[in-house]
Amino acid sequence: MPQLNRLAWIVTVGLCLVTALVLLISGYTGYAGVTLAVAIAAGINLF
């Protein structure tokens, strides 16, 4: 079960990073920053 939890967090971080990149390209810098912060917060759970 721990491997499944880790995989779920990796997917969450990856999706947040992709979303932040799309938002940044679209010009939504504020939302991209918030999404990046969420990705970092989710990434803490990987350690």
Side-chain angles (χ1 to χ4, degrees), residues 19-47:
T19 302
L21 181 64
V22 169
L23 287 169
L24 190 62
I25 291 171
S26 298
Y28 295 103
T29 55
Y31 291 120
V34 170
T35 308
L36 184 61
V38 171
I40 292 169
I44 290 172
N45 292 310
L46 294 174
F47 301 104

Side-chain angles (χ1 to χ4, degrees), residues 2-20:
Q3 291 293 346
L4 188 58
N5 289 340
R6 185 169 173 82
L7 180 63
W9 283 115
I10 290 171
V11 169
T12 301
V13 170
L15 288 174
C16 285
L17 290 174
V18 169
T19 302

